[in-house]
Amino acid sequence: MLIQIEPNSKVAVSDQIYDQLSNKIRSKLLPAGEQLPSLRSLAKKLNVSFITVNKAYKKLEKEKLVYIKHGKGVFVGGKSSEKYEMDSPYDWQHNIAHSLVKKPFLLKLKPSRYPLSHSVVHHGLIPTAYIADQMDTMLQKNREILAIYSPIQGDDHLRHEISTYLYKQSRLKVDPQDMIITSGTQQAIEIITKTFIRYGDTVITQSPTYATSIDVFLNQGANVVSAASDEQGMILEQLEKLCIKLRPKLVYVNPTFQNPTGAVWSIERRMELIRLAEQYHFIIMEDDPTSEIYFDDVPPPPSIKRFDQSGHVIYLKGFSKILAPGVRTGVMVANGPILNLLLTAKTTMDLGTPFLLQKAILPFLSTKRMIDHLEKLRTALQLRRDRVQQIINQTLKVEFTYHTVSGGLNLWLALPEWLNTDELLHQTMQEGISFLPGSVCYPNEREYNHLRISFSILSEKDMDYAVQRLCELINEHASAKL
């Protein structure tokens, strides 16, 4: 069972243990009836006192999240608390180290009719018909493509087209030989993490950050530490202090329309991050899923990779958000020996991204259709952003703040500190409305009064209803708390 203690946190250690265990129990990552470590064994593992662990367990017991059987141990409570007390052919599996795996939030979240939680573009805004027709034409002309493995590094034609695309879009010069095609940027994050991170290595992220990246780092056994951010990006003075103290192996950033906040790093901070990487010898993982979706005809600053002269930056570019979520195609750009290590890791993972999926986006990337599509997409999403903000401004009665994003797919809403969006989500799900609670975006000291809304996932009619109703439910939830 993976529990991380932050010794310098303002939160008491017993509360840190309680918080992590209660989250695992409420999310069903620890199922009803499962036995927890004994007080002494957990205290020894975490290098804390017996009394500290006992305080956490007593608090869990008071809330009926666990029950204590004298002489037998501590067990997760719930309606099915007897489930694992009976003999089962699967009992042995509970002793396997799979309990180290952190269950992603998306697996915990039940399907909803209005999934404002999903940072995905509505199918009506992407060229599904054209891509489908192109795939059909391709298969009619060359059905043998289904019997061909892709080169592990990726289709040569696609890598050349992406090289041209990156230069046209952001003046980023990339040699096709420095690219590896991946099954989306999520796979790239996984590959990089498994290649360079060993148990106990430090990974630094922004606070808050992309929730699923936290899961990947924790599952690899990393010591995940966050550095505070503002509207111009990560506060690099704090990052440098962490570098001096912890010597991170990797710094994960999403500098353009950051997920979840939508913030954009200034050019100065992008260049300063390169300087810090050169000084403290860490890898920068730059995740760029939506830099093309900018509003008011104002492109964002250049990628951090554009300033990289010594191969410290591994740049990830995905096409799922802007073109075809179902195709799941992305690219990883690296230089020097790092590239060969990543290629080796990719080889052991899947022997290459499916050839057909790579070929599917080629006709779009290589024609003017992509430029036209992006222009229309930017216009449509800017109107949606404005509409969501209008509804929030007119409907919410509690104190709130948000930053008007200049691009991307999401809006990050801050509510009063006494309002817990984890609890709010249980209420909104009763009406089929989901959002991303801010707590899942913090690797350490969580904040519970934020939520992320995607203004791209639903039709305009459904979006209007879902955001309006969500605001009404927030008002009701807040009134019940007062």
Side-chain angles (χ1 to χ4, degrees), residues 153 159 162 166 172-182 188 191-193 195-196 250 283-286 303-306 308-317 330-346:
Q153 192 166 352
R159 285 186 284 121
I162 291 177
L166 291 175
L172 178 60
K173 292 183 179 180
V174 177
D175 189 322
Q177 296 305 313
D178 290 332
M179 297 181 185
I180 300 173
I181 303 299
T182 62
I191 291 171
I192 295 167
T193 304
T195 302
F196 299 110
L250 176 73
I283 295 169
I284 300 169
M285 190 195 305
E286 180 183 11
S303 67
I304 297 172
K305 184 63 179 175
R306 189 167 161 187
D308 182 25
Q309 300 297 319
S310 51
H312 280 86
V313 180
I314 304 175
Y315 174 78
L316 314 183
K317 179 68 211 168
V331 65
M332 185 165 47
V333 179
N335 309 100
I338 278 180
L339 178 69
N340 293 326
L341 292 172
L342 293 171
L343 189 57
T344 300
K346 169 75 167 161

Side-chain angles (χ1 to χ4, degrees), residues 3-17:
I3 295 177
Q4 287 194 319
I5 299 301
E6 180 58 46
N8 297 322
S9 172
K10 296 178 183 178
V11 180
V13 173
S14 62
D15 288 338
Q16 292 184 51
I17 298 171

Side-chain angles (χ1 to χ4, degrees), residues 125-405:
L125 298 176
I126 56 178
T128 51
Y130 178 80
I131 293 176
D133 289 343
Q134 289 298 312
M135 291 181 71
D136 185 56
T137 301
M138 186 193 316
L139 287 171
Q140 291 296 329
K141 290 181 178 179
N142 184 14
R143 294 182 179 179
E144 289 77 17
I145 197 171
L146 294 174
I148 300 173
Y149 279 117
S150 164
I152 294 169
Q153 192 166 352
D155 178 51
D156 184 65
H157 188 185
L158 178 60
R159 285 186 284 121
H160 277 82
E161 288 297 339
I162 291 177
S163 176
T164 301
Y165 172 82
L166 291 175
Y167 185 73
K168 285 181 178 178
Q169 285 295 319
S170 57
R171 293 294 183 264
L172 178 60
K173 292 183 179 180
V174 177
D175 189 322
Q177 296 305 313
D178 290 332
M179 297 181 185
I180 300 173
I181 303 299
T182 62
S183 298
T185 55
Q186 186 63 37
Q187 187 192 44
I189 293 172
E190 183 86 18
I191 291 171
I192 295 167
T193 304
K194 289 190 173 180
T195 302
F196 299 110
I197 302 302
R198 296 295 173 264
Y199 190 89
D201 284 345
T202 295
V203 173
I204 297 179
T205 72
Q206 293 178 245
S207 179
T209 193
Y210 171 48
T212 311
S213 70
I214 299 173
D215 299 331
V216 174
F217 302 143
L218 290 178
N219 288 342
Q220 191 66 10
N223 172 36
V224 185
V225 179
S226 56
S229 300
D230 58 24
E231 291 182 4
Q232 294 190 57
M234 186 183 285
I235 299 173
L236 297 184
E237 292 82 3
Q238 185 178 124
L239 173 62
E240 183 161 22
K241 291 178 181 178
L242 292 172
C243 289
I244 294 170
K245 180 180 178 181
L246 301 173
R247 296 289 171 173
K249 182 76 72 68
L250 176 73
V251 174
Y252 170 77
V253 295
N254 174 200
T256 306
F257 313 131
Q258 195 248 1
N259 186 353
T261 65
V264 179
W265 286 41
S266 65
I267 290 180
E268 292 75 18
R269 292 201 192 180
R270 294 170 190 244
M271 296 179 70
E272 177 65 10
L273 182 64
I274 292 286
R275 186 194 70 77
L276 290 176
E278 292 172 347
Q279 181 175 352
Y280 295 101
H281 305 295
F282 58 77
I283 295 169
I284 300 169
M285 190 195 305
E286 180 183 11
D287 192 356
D288 176 18
T290 58
S291 60
E292 300 92 333
I293 305 178
Y294 53 84
F295 304 147
D296 301 310
D297 295 322
V298 180
S303 67
I304 297 172
K305 184 63 179 175
R306 189 167 161 187
F307 304 110
D308 182 25
Q309 300 297 319
S310 51
H312 280 86
V313 180
I314 304 175
Y315 174 78
L316 314 183
K317 179 68 211 168
F319 296 96
S320 299
K321 302 289 188 187
I322 61 174
L323 190 56
V327 172
R328 298 296 296 165
T329 301
V331 65
M332 185 165 47
V333 179
N335 309 100
I338 278 180
L339 178 69
N340 293 326
L341 292 172
L342 293 171
L343 189 57
T344 300
K346 169 75 167 161
T347 304
T348 60
M349 184 170 288
D350 64 7
L351 293 175
T353 300
F355 207 25
L356 178 62
L357 299 185
Q358 295 182 60
K359 293 294 188 184
I361 66 171
L362 258 175
F364 224 79
L365 282 179
S366 59
T367 65
K368 187 175 178 294
R369 284 182 177 272
M370 187 65 170
I371 297 173
D372 294 340
H373 162 64
L374 289 175
E375 289 179 353
K376 293 177 181 177
L377 184 60
R378 286 193 284 265
T379 300
L381 292 176
Q382 182 173 337
L383 291 172
R384 284 162 167 260
R385 175 205 65 181
D386 294 344
R387 179 61 179 154
V388 166
Q389 291 184 172
Q390 181 185 31
I391 294 172
I392 290 172
N393 292 339
Q394 292 175 348
T395 312
L396 265 188
K397 305 302 181 185
V398 298
E399 183 181 349
F400 66 89
T401 58
Y402 61 78
H403 169 67
T404 299
V405 295

